[in-house]
Amino acid sequence: MKIPVHFAPDVKVALSLAPMTLRASIVDMLLDLGDDPTPPDAVPYAEIPGAYELIMPTFRALYTYGPDDVDHLSIWVLHINT
């Protein structure tokens, strides 16, 4: 079941400043987290329960998800590699 993915205001700003093709690919990858919140590339972040870090060649994202009764995923930090 796909869960909603929420973007923090600073994440939206970072995305708006990225070139359109890069922005589209990043948004697609982030929205895919709604289908699989913990893909193989995601690792737990620090020792914060439910916090994950996703490092890809084009971006780094920090997000929270869980426990099971939470019905959304929140992306808090996005660093785009340009």
Side-chain angles (χ1 to χ4, degrees), residues 12-68:
K12 291 178 182 179
V13 169
L15 286 168
S16 72
L17 297 174
M20 185 177 286
T21 55
L22 179 59
R23 178 182 340 145
S25 69
I26 292 172
V27 168
D28 284 346
M29 292 174 95
L30 294 176
L31 291 176
D32 284 346
L33 292 171
D35 290 321
D36 182 9
T38 54
D41 292 327
V43 294
Y45 183 70
E47 292 186 22
I48 303 169
Y52 296 90
E53 180 176 37
L54 182 62
I55 300 175
M56 304 303 289
T58 55
F59 71 91
R60 173 181 169 259
L62 299 177
Y63 65 96
T64 53
Y65 166 73
D68 293 332

Side-chain angles (χ1 to χ4, degrees), residues 3 10 12 30-31 75 79 82:
I3 59 171
D10 287 345
K12 291 178 182 179
L30 294 176
L31 291 176
I75 300 171
H79 293 201
T82 56

